[in-house]
Amino acid sequence: MVLSKAWTLIKHFEGFPKLSDFKLQEVELPQIKDGEVLLEAVFLSVDPYMRPYSSLSMKEGDIMIGSQVARVVESKNSTFPVGDFVISSAGWTTHSISDSKNLQLLLRNWPENLPKSLALGTIGMPGLTAYFGLFEVCHLKEGDTVLVNAAAGAVGSVVGQIAKIKGCKVVGSAGTDDKVAYLKEIGFDEAFNYKTVSSLEEALKKASPDGYDCYFDNVGGEFSKVALLQMKNRGRIAVCGSISMYNETVPQKGVYPLTSFIFKQLRMEGFIVSRWNDKSEEALKQLMTWVLEGKLRYHEHITEGFPNMPAGFLGMLNGENTGKAIIKV
């Protein structure tokens, strides 16, 4: 028998999540059956989507949702032999049993010099979110001017770098001066700290006086109300997230600039990355290639220790991470 540790949600979040909303439990796992594998988590992901999705898909007492890179430690499934590394949606747990239906092997020939945690970040769901948001929603073209907020995060930092690879001008916003410096380091043409500028409207105009062809929105709220007025004719907006509103107890209300949508013929589309699951392997290979070529750089904010997982989650929601927030078991 294997004893697994798991973080459960004992109280649905009200406003900003609290450490007391979680409880660490131990579960004794049964022997695996034919077709099953026993997994041991190596890296776990904490992501903004967990905040709203927990209310939509979880009951109090459930193991917190999430993905992990795990090692197969026992197997009765020939497709997943002992020693393989997989991506599992087992959630916040150290060990789990899977019938393999929710498992995805890491890309073949994963280089030894690349951390496997990248399968949760730049060469994983956040990277795919950036990739498909740009190419399938924004229909990125060479010469476009691209605006991305939360630009130093797991998704935003990849958005900006892909846009640069494709010959675009990129403007990013972030919440600290250190993050702004990081954006300049990885190739953003313009970057600013939205918390310290005297006027967001003026900061956006200064960064790109002619406006923006593509806006990749991770934040929503007041930022978007201002940014939407800066779009060029036939501009495209990819709505990936609305992290500024996830912890609000009263739904935000407001009027979007619909006249601009009409006269500028703008297109705004929300998306979930799983829409393109049938294309994900090809996209992951491209992301891997760019990383190996040095065109796509990554940064990880690693929290050590499974007991610190809730603190890592809260830190990510507070914007403490640059790049991808990862928990290392």
Side-chain angles (χ1 to χ4, degrees):
M1 297 289 184
V2 172
L3 199 62
S4 174
K5 294 180 180 179
W7 281 105
T8 57
L9 180 71
I10 60 171
K11 189 175 186 300
H12 276 298
F13 307 130
E14 296 178 0
F16 194 86
K18 303 179 290 294
L19 292 178
S20 59
D21 294 329
F22 305 94
K23 183 178 180 180
L24 183 60
Q25 297 185 337
E26 292 187 343
V27 181
E28 194 173 85
L29 300 180
Q31 295 290 335
I32 62 172
K33 302 173 184 177
D34 288 343
E36 294 183 333
V37 294
L38 175 64
L39 303 174
E40 181 178 62
V42 181
F43 299 104
L44 299 104
S45 182
V46 286
D47 300 281
Y49 80 84
M50 295 173 179
R51 173 62 181 86
Y53 269 69
S54 64
S55 301
L56 296 172
S57 63
M58 292 183 62
K59 304 185 300 296
E60 290 180 350
D62 286 350
I63 294 175
M64 269 296 293
I65 55 175
S67 299
Q68 58 177 246
V69 171
R71 181 189 299 108
V72 178
V73 293
E74 187 179 346
S75 177
K76 291 187 178 180
N77 185 319
S78 59
T79 304
F80 298 96
V82 171
D84 269 4
F85 287 89
V86 298
I87 302 165
S88 166
S89 57
W92 294 15
T93 181
T94 59
H95 296 80
S96 60
I97 292 173
S98 173
D99 61 6
S100 80
K101 292 179 181 178
N102 69 335
L103 300 184
Q104 176 188 343
L105 283 167
L106 266 65
L107 285 178
R108 294 178 182 177
N109 303 316
W110 189 279
E112 286 297 323
N113 64 327
L114 282 186
K116 292 179 173 60
S117 52
L118 289 185
L120 300 173
T122 303
I123 312 175
M125 182 274 289
L128 291 174
T129 301
Y131 185 96
F132 290 119
L134 283 173
F135 294 123
E136 299 289 342
V137 181
C138 278
H139 300 286
L140 191 71
K141 304 189 300 291
E142 183 178 358
D144 279 344
T145 299
V146 177
L147 170 65
V148 56
N149 50 21
V155 174
S157 58
V158 179
V159 168
Q161 292 183 86
I162 291 177
K164 288 302 299 178
I165 290 170
K166 292 300 179 179
C168 300
K169 176 181 177 178
V170 180
V171 176
S173 73
T176 71
D177 291 343
D178 286 344
K179 290 182 179 181
V180 169
Y182 173 69
L183 296 179
K184 295 289 188 69
E185 182 183 322
I186 61 175
F188 278 60
D189 296 286
E190 302 287 343
F192 62 88
N193 183 340
Y194 73 92
K195 292 181 179 179
T196 59
V197 294
S198 58
S199 165
L200 177 58
E201 179 181 3
E202 290 304 316
L204 290 172
K205 286 181 177 179
K206 181 180 179 181
S208 181
D210 296 330
Y212 299 90
D213 300 285
C214 300
Y215 169 34
F216 197 107
D217 184 17
N218 294 303
V219 174
E222 291 298 322
F223 191 105
S224 283
K225 290 180 184 178
V226 176
L228 290 173
L229 292 171
Q230 307 281 339
M231 300 301 295
K232 295 182 182 181
N233 288 332
R234 295 183 180 273
R236 293 90 67 198
I237 302 104
V239 183
C240 172
S242 55
I243 195 169
S244 71
M245 299 183 286
Y246 287 163
N247 297 307
E248 293 186 349
T249 55
V250 178
Q252 192 175 87
K253 296 180 181 179
V255 178
Y256 278 100
L258 296 182
T259 304
S260 291
F261 272 76
I262 297 167
F263 290 108
K264 289 186 177 181
Q265 302 182 76
L266 305 180
R267 187 179 67 233
M268 185 175 188
E269 181 179 348
F271 70 98
I272 298 173
V273 68
S274 57
R275 188 196 309 183
W276 298 282
N277 278 349
D278 60 327
K279 299 180 179 181
S280 64
E281 184 173 355
E282 177 186 350
L284 288 171
K285 289 178 179 176
Q286 179 61 80
L287 292 166
M288 170 77 84
T289 297
W290 284 332
V291 169
L292 293 175
E293 291 174 345
K295 295 178 180 178
L296 181 56
R297 297 168 63 180
Y298 61 87
H299 190 281
E300 295 180 307
H301 182 97
I302 295 180
T303 299
E304 296 274 353
F306 185 74
N308 296 318
M309 191 148 194
F313 175 61
L314 270 58
M316 178 274 302
L317 290 178
N318 260 326
E320 294 175 6
N321 59 297
T322 296
K324 180 72 183 81
I326 294 288
I327 310 300
K328 183 179 181 181
V329 179

